[in-house]
Amino acid sequence: MNATPAVSVIMPVLNEERHLRNSVRHILEQEYDGEMEVVIAIGPSSDRTEEIAAELVREDPRIHTVPNPTGRTPAALNAAIKASRHPIVVRVDGHGMLSPNYIATAVRLLEETGAQNVGGIMHAEGENAWEDAVAAAMTSKIGVGNAAFHTGGEAAPAETVYLGVFRREALEQQGGYNEEFIRAQDWELNFRIREAGGLIWFSPELKVQYRPRPSVKALAKQYKDYGRWRHVVARYHAGSINLRYLAPPTAVCAIAAGIVVGAALTPWGFVIPAGYLAAIVAGSVPAGKGLSLKARAQIPVALATMHMSWGFGFLTSPRSLAKKVIASRRPAVRTTTV
């Protein structure tokens, strides 16, 4: 790999008028000497996303767009990969802000580790009190457990990473993203890369600012989808489940049972939901350090929304969805040598 290989930055966007311009600015201002292009795959947005993208194309020749009629993230990623041309492919979302040396650091790590994909920390940061509360919840162990790409950790091989900076050859070898995975498509692609003998590498040196969902409703939908698709992943690959993933659905069942028992049989049943409430209130205290009083007061709401929505999504994930996804399973493709 050359010291400064050319890179293609791919962005799947849908209804991203609020952050798209700033996200692209963080790409174009990277401290990187190599050639760069930005390919934005645009879904059928109901806001000014397409208009803003067109403005960006007119302003900088390095930017171009491709349509994504389905609006689905994996289809957008595949369309952008197909339209791009450089040997390093950097995935960025329309509400993600790259740190200034993100691409240079990722390219160096690809060279140093021999990995097929490297990624780092999803560093949530809010722009108001509610988003600050969600960001605190998303970067705390009481909120997301020990997930390194949320809370940090040592550089090491990983099952999957946030977003990712890929060698194009790895993407092409595996045929890109499986478009049946509406969510968790990163995990599934990285699974195939690892099955083929490739290395996925996590490093805390890589940081992407992430803008949390702007309302309780939006956060609940996001985490319900996460839980729903995590159960699909568990059925797709039985060895991928662990206690961290089982905690939210267990909490949902326990709280529901406690409320039923408390209402129908004995007030002692309410000890379970009361204990959960006490735990998230206590856990929000260290998570909210340095935030405004308004933000700190909303952290328990964010935590409960994340836990309950994730658990509900996991519990209600239909078996038929997993069967459809499993039927689309792509075997990992290994490089053949003569």
Side-chain angles (χ1 to χ4, degrees), residues 16-320:
E16 290 286 3
E17 69 171 359
R18 182 180 172 194
H19 299 300
L20 179 57
R21 178 171 287 279
N22 197 24
S23 181
V24 171
R25 179 178 65 80
H26 278 76
I27 296 168
L28 300 179
E29 293 179 356
Q30 284 289 294
E31 297 169 359
Y32 188 69
D33 295 332
E35 184 181 351
M36 182 189 305
E37 65 173 350
V38 181
V39 183
I40 305 172
I42 306 175
S45 301
S46 58
D47 61 7
R48 295 184 59 252
T49 295
E50 292 188 47
E51 181 182 337
I52 293 169
E55 292 171 358
L56 291 168
V57 169
R58 289 193 295 269
E59 292 166 7
D60 196 304
R62 293 173 292 178
I63 303 171
H64 57 283
T65 63
V66 293
N68 173 33
T70 69
R72 295 180 172 184
T73 299
L77 291 166
N78 283 341
I81 291 167
K82 185 177 180 180
S84 65
R85 56 196 173 89
H86 294 319
I88 303 298
V89 178
V90 181
R91 176 184 170 176
V92 182
D93 286 344
H95 46 271
M97 315 295 162
L98 300 185
S99 52
N101 62 348
Y102 181 88
I103 291 177
T105 301
V107 170
R108 172 176 61 78
L109 289 171
L110 285 172
E111 180 68 23
E112 290 176 355
T113 64
Q116 301 301 305
N117 180 22
V118 299
I121 295 175
M122 176 183 176
H123 185 66
E125 289 187 0
E127 295 182 323
N128 54 48
W130 164 250
E131 291 180 4
D132 284 342
V134 177
M138 292 179 70
T139 53
S140 67
K141 290 190 176 181
I142 192 173
V144 295
N146 61 351
F149 70 84
H150 281 296
T151 61
E154 297 294 325
E159 283 191 354
T160 191
V161 291
Y162 179 55
L163 301 179
V165 177
F166 299 83
R167 298 176 189 266
R168 175 177 293 276
E169 61 201 38
L171 293 172
E172 293 180 345
Q173 180 180 325
Q174 300 305 327
Y177 290 84
N178 184 335
E179 295 185 14
E180 293 296 337
F181 273 81
I182 308 305
R183 297 286 184 273
Q185 65 275 156
D186 300 287
W187 181 92
E188 192 277 337
L189 174 58
N190 286 319
F191 174 70
R192 280 185 282 130
I193 291 174
R194 288 187 292 107
E195 271 199 323
L199 174 65
I200 310 299
W201 188 261
F202 166 82
S203 173
E205 291 183 77
L206 298 171
K207 184 180 291 187
V208 181
Q209 290 182 10
Y210 168 87
R211 298 295 185 232
R213 295 298 193 270
S215 67
V216 173
K217 181 179 178 180
L219 183 67
K221 182 182 185 304
Q222 177 187 19
Y223 271 77
K224 185 191 75 172
D225 288 345
Y226 282 172
R228 176 186 177 97
W229 281 91
R230 184 63 234 188
H231 205 163
V232 171
V233 167
R235 287 166 169 158
Y236 182 92
H237 178 45
S240 69
I241 202 68
N242 60 41
L243 292 177
R244 176 167 68 89
Y245 297 124
L246 295 176
T250 300
V252 170
C253 292
I255 290 170
I259 292 173
V260 170
V261 170
L265 298 176
T266 170
W268 284 105
F270 292 118
V271 168
I272 296 174
Y276 171 77
L277 180 60
I280 61 173
V281 169
S284 70
V285 174
K289 186 177 181 181
L291 298 183
S292 68
L293 180 61
K294 185 177 181 180
R296 293 200 301 270
Q298 295 183 84
I299 294 174
V301 178
L303 287 170
T305 301
M306 290 161 56
H307 293 162
M308 296 298 103
S309 299
W310 202 104
F312 178 78
F314 189 93
L315 291 168
T316 59
S317 181
R319 214 171 262 279
S320 59

